[in-house]
Amino acid sequence: IKVFLGTSRNAVLTQVWTAMCAYLIVAIMKKELALPQSLYTILQVLGTHQFSQVAVAELFKNDAQEGEALESKLQLTLNLL
């Protein structure tokens, strides 16, 4: 948590509990998927792909070629006339 969005006790506690829940969900996902990446790296990847409709396991495949193919599939193209 870098900045608290509210100043009341309830707002601060809600933000702390939400951050703890998110951290625990990512830690459980790391364990269940046996991901070698750090929790920080996983959180960064999830943050950049939060609106992508891709399975979480697909985001962390070790094969670089598949990762490049996934990125190119998600990349929007600009068609010039």
Side-chain angles (χ1 to χ4, degrees):
I1 301 174
K2 294 180 182 178
V3 174
F4 287 107
L5 301 175
T7 55
S8 70
R9 181 178 191 273
N10 187 42
V12 171
L13 287 176
T14 300
Q15 192 170 349
V16 168
W17 279 106
T18 303
M20 287 175 44
C21 289
Y23 181 84
L24 289 173
I25 289 170
V26 172
I28 291 169
M29 181 188 69
K30 175 182 168 54
K31 182 173 172 46
E32 290 292 319
L33 296 176
L35 298 174
Q37 293 87 355
S38 67
L39 286 173
Y40 178 77
T41 303
I42 294 170
L43 285 167
Q44 291 294 336
V45 170
L46 292 177
T48 58
H49 291 284
Q50 60 189 344
F51 296 111
S52 301
Q53 294 183 355
V54 178
V56 173
E58 290 290 321
L59 294 174
F60 297 103
K61 284 202 172 187
N62 290 334
D63 190 8
Q65 293 174 348
E66 288 183 14
E68 290 173 5
L70 178 63
E71 286 181 14
S72 65
K73 185 173 88 173
L74 295 175
Q75 181 67 40
L76 297 176
T77 58
L78 177 63
N79 296 325
L80 301 174
L81 298 175

